[in-house]
Amino acid sequence: MYGAKEIILSEIKPALGCTEPAAVALNAAYLREYGVYDEKNLKLTVNTNLLKNAMYVPIPNTSKRFGVKLAFALGYLFGDVNDGLNIFKNLNEEKVKKALEFSEKVKVELIEGSELFIKSENSYAEAVTIKFHDNIEYVISKGELKEFDNHQEEVEVKSYVLEDKPFDIVYDLIEQEKSFEFVREAVELNMALAEYGMNHDVGINVSKQFSGDSLKDKICKITTSASDSRMDGVNMPAMSLTGSGNHGISATLPVWVYAKEKGFSEEETLKAVALSMLITIYVKLFIGRLSVICGAAVASGCGVAGAIAYLESDRETSKKAVKHVIQNISTLLCDGGKMACSLKVLQGASVGYDSAKFALNAMEVYEDGIIFEDVTKTIKALKGIKEKMSGVDEEVVKIMKEKLL
């Protein structure tokens, strides 16, 4: 059985901007690097849920330009495969203009499905990414297959060991760890984005709506500042969690701010952040990586609620806090990556904080709706609901496709 540290580290990675455009660009860079450069018959095939998250979100260093064709062109022309999900870090206006012109040569095709899939092609080669944003499975060039060593199997093994375990496993694993320094970088990267956002006009400026001195206002202001910066395309990485920068932001910063403001020790604070991240990972196993349900609100909100309640009390109170989140925002819709994602991050921070307080104040959680006495059953119920909501997801993608194609 893997420990909390191993599982969390397998699910975090610095990422510049939204991870879906970066995944497209990285795939295209592999096509050029390991295939044959050609400007004819360029085709990009992606699954519908990836398109949903990549269509309207600004690409870093492009003056808020967006689109999968542009992401492909930037990666194909200028991407460095060694930069991973930070592939947009060295762009300038000249490169962007060339990529915009080049992007007109790219044909986009869609396949149905929520599981991440990217295939880029030219006349002589193709590159394929599956399941994870930086998981380039192979490149075929002039009939020759080149496969890549990747972390896909490692991530699946480490994270998915949780899937058939009761929810108490997250507390067991956290309580077995001796040190939580391994989450410090995540906090530092995400706090740097927050500090930038508080001092600049970025995104839709959700954070600027919070001017009060209450702890909840501080949590909402700092957390949404980081998301506003990320969704604006600021040239600074977030620490992504389960493939999403916003998941990482909304799972870490509310807990960090809460614990610091309340005077908890450094070790207690980092432990609570780690618990929030692990709860987020657990919930994401059931709602999916690219999902109709917003993970930055629901999964990370569960993490925030569970971690704050645990920090102040115990695991039983923590589990009640998680159930409060689910009975409140269990089916909050993901309608794609965009600057307004900071509003969804706000829900994770705000509802997570409130739910922890509800539980700490002994507010009852009744067994109604989809809520069971057993928190494990409650979380697993989200999987069936997510699957039944596939028609909703299809309608969202249909609306977005009408704008694109």
Side-chain angles (χ1 to χ4, degrees):
M1 181 68 186
Y2 293 103
K5 178 179 180 179
E6 293 169 294
I7 293 170
I8 291 171
L9 288 178
S10 75
E11 288 280 12
I12 63 174
K13 189 180 296 312
L16 181 63
C18 186
T19 47
E20 280 73 39
V24 169
L26 183 61
N27 177 282
Y30 267 80
L31 178 68
R32 187 204 65 238
E33 180 75 15
Y34 296 100
V36 176
Y37 181 85
D38 182 62
E39 297 186 6
K40 296 179 180 178
N41 300 314
L42 292 168
K43 185 167 73 171
L44 173 66
T45 303
V46 297
N47 67 297
T48 48
N49 280 50
L50 183 137
L51 176 72
K52 183 178 76 169
N53 283 347
M55 185 173 168
Y56 285 117
V57 64
I59 296 171
N61 297 314
T62 66
S63 301
K64 298 185 181 180
R65 296 182 176 97
F66 50 82
V68 290
K69 288 185 178 182
L70 177 58
F72 173 94
L74 290 166
Y76 193 64
L77 295 176
F78 307 114
D80 184 340
V81 297
N82 296 310
D83 288 335
L85 296 178
N86 292 316
I87 195 164
F88 298 125
K89 68 179 184 180
N90 292 319
L91 297 179
N92 56 41
E93 188 61 24
E94 181 181 356
K95 291 178 179 179
V96 173
K97 287 180 178 178
K98 289 180 180 178
L100 281 168
E101 182 178 348
F102 188 88
S103 68
E104 296 302 316
K105 302 178 182 181
V106 182
K107 178 182 178 182
V108 177
E109 290 192 359
L110 300 176
I111 60 170
E112 298 296 326
S114 60
E115 184 172 276
L116 187 146
F117 178 85
I118 306 168
K119 180 167 74 170
S120 60
E121 303 171 72
N122 60 27
S123 299
Y124 305 100
E126 66 179 56
V128 171
T129 304
I130 60 171
K131 283 195 176 182
F132 303 98
H133 294 75
D134 57 349
N135 178 46
I136 307 345
E137 185 76 358
Y138 64 81
V139 174
I140 298 175
S141 180
K142 293 185 175 180
E144 293 186 9
L145 173 67
K146 180 173 178 55
E147 297 179 291
F148 295 90
D149 292 329
N150 55 65
H151 68 280
Q152 174 193 333
E153 184 175 325
E154 175 187 345
V155 171
E156 284 191 310
V157 168
K158 290 183 178 178
S159 297
Y160 284 76
V161 293
L162 301 177
E163 194 169 19
D164 62 350
K165 301 290 192 300
F167 186 68
D168 273 280
I169 189 66
V170 299
Y171 306 106
D172 294 339
L173 292 176
I174 287 294
E175 290 167 3
Q176 290 166 15
E177 291 293 335
K178 304 299 183 186
S179 171
F180 298 92
E181 281 295 318
F182 62 90
V183 302
R184 186 180 294 279
E185 184 186 8
V187 173
E188 290 175 347
L189 285 180
N190 295 338
M191 277 299 297
L193 275 170
E195 289 165 5
Y196 184 93
M198 286 186 285
N199 292 295
H200 296 83
D201 287 329
V202 287
I204 61 172
N205 280 316
V206 175
S207 65
K208 304 301 189 295
Q209 314 310 311
F210 298 95
S211 56
D213 292 326
S214 70
L215 178 52
K216 184 177 178 180
D217 266 16
K218 289 178 181 178
I219 287 170
C220 292
K221 182 181 182 68
I222 291 171
T223 306
T224 56
S225 288
S227 182
D228 274 331
S229 296
R230 175 178 180 261
M231 303 317 291
D232 191 79
V234 168
N235 193 24
M236 299 169 64
M239 183 62 84
S240 67
L241 177 65
T242 65
S244 165
N246 277 336
H247 288 49
I249 289 167
S250 53
T252 58
L253 295 189
V255 179
W256 175 262
V257 175
Y258 181 92
K260 283 295 185 181
E261 289 289 323
K262 296 283 279 187
F264 285 93
S265 70
E266 195 81 354
E267 190 64 16
E268 288 173 317
T269 300
L270 291 173
K271 180 180 181 180
V273 170
L275 176 60
S276 179
M277 296 170 84
L278 195 60
I279 291 173
T280 301
I281 292 168
Y282 187 94
V283 175
K284 284 291 288 182
L285 289 171
F286 301 100
I287 67 173
R289 286 180 178 267
L290 296 178
S291 177
V292 64
I293 296 173
C294 175
V298 179
S300 296
C302 287
V304 170
I308 290 175
Y310 182 86
L311 188 64
E312 292 279 18
S313 184
D314 54 29
R315 67 169 68 184
E316 292 306 314
T317 307
S318 174
K319 287 187 280 189
K320 286 183 179 179
V322 169
K323 290 196 286 185
H324 274 302
V325 173
I326 294 172
Q327 71 176 356
N328 188 346
I329 57 170
S330 60
T331 56
L332 188 68
L333 179 68
C334 170
D335 62 338
K338 56 189 185 299
M339 286 200 284
C341 279
S342 52
L343 291 170
K344 307 289 180 70
V345 168
L346 172 61
Q347 291 299 307
S350 176
V351 174
Y353 172 85
D354 286 341
S355 297
K357 288 300 181 183
F358 295 159
L360 289 166
N361 291 331
M363 179 174 161
E364 192 60 60
V365 184
Y366 292 102
E367 291 182 65
D368 51 17
I370 65 169
I371 306 299
F372 292 85
E373 181 179 357
D374 182 0
V375 68
T376 306
K377 289 183 178 180
T378 302
I379 293 170
K380 289 187 175 183
L382 294 174
K383 182 176 182 180
I385 291 170
K386 178 261 298 185
E387 291 170 352
K388 293 299 183 182
M389 287 177 69
S390 60
V392 175
D393 216 18
E394 289 170 9
E395 184 64 22
V396 171
V397 174
K398 176 186 172 184
I399 293 168
M400 297 178 76
K401 281 165 62 178
E402 289 172 354
K403 297 179 180 181
L404 176 69
L405 303 176

